[in-house]
């Protein structure tokens, strides 16, 4: 698998992890939590993936990349019910 394919696969994992986390908690995970979920120990790597995902429209944010819990997934409305 080349670097491009690996990056695409990792971004799919990141998006799925964010959706699962949001379904469970009702809010977005932090960069460190995303890294833990997808096996990336470097927050810099997670940050770079998030930048690319926002640029391509896979994710949205109203704040700076890296702002805690400011990520949204277009097409998903996650409502936590107790």
């Amino acid at each position: 698998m080349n670097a491009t394919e690996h990056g695409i696969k990792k971004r799919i994992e990141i998006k799925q992890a964010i959706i699962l986390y949001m379904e469970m908690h009702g809010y977005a995970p932090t960069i460190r939590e995303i890294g833990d979920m997808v096996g990336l120990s470097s927050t810099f790597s997670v940050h770079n993936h998030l930048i690319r995902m926002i640029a391509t429209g896979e994710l949205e944010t109203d704040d700076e990349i890296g702002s805690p819990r400011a990520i949204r997934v277009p097409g998903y409305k996650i409502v936590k019910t107790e």
Side-chain angles (χ1 to χ4, degrees):
M1 175 180 325
N2 67 35
T4 300
E5 292 168 335
H6 179 72
I8 291 168
K9 182 179 178 215
K10 190 55 71 175
R11 286 188 289 281
I12 290 168
E13 286 180 53
I14 288 170
K15 185 174 180 179
Q16 291 171 339
I18 291 170
I19 292 167
L20 179 62
Y21 187 97
M22 292 174 76
E23 287 173 342
M24 290 176 58
H25 299 281
Y27 52 85
T30 64
I31 286 180
R32 187 164 308 282
E33 288 168 332
I34 293 167
D36 290 345
M37 290 184 287
V38 300
L40 290 173
S41 59
S42 167
T43 55
F44 184 75
S45 292
V46 176
H47 181 83
N48 285 338
H49 281 294
L50 295 178
I51 288 171
R52 180 174 235 136
M53 294 172 78
I54 289 169
T56 61
E58 294 175 81
L59 297 176
E60 298 174 339
T61 185
D62 291 328
D63 211 338
E64 295 178 22
I65 307 280
S67 295
R69 310 195 191 285
I71 298 169
R72 289 188 315 278
V73 181
Y76 282 82
K77 181 176 182 178
I78 302 196
V79 179
K80 181 155 171 70
T81 56
E82 305 285 330

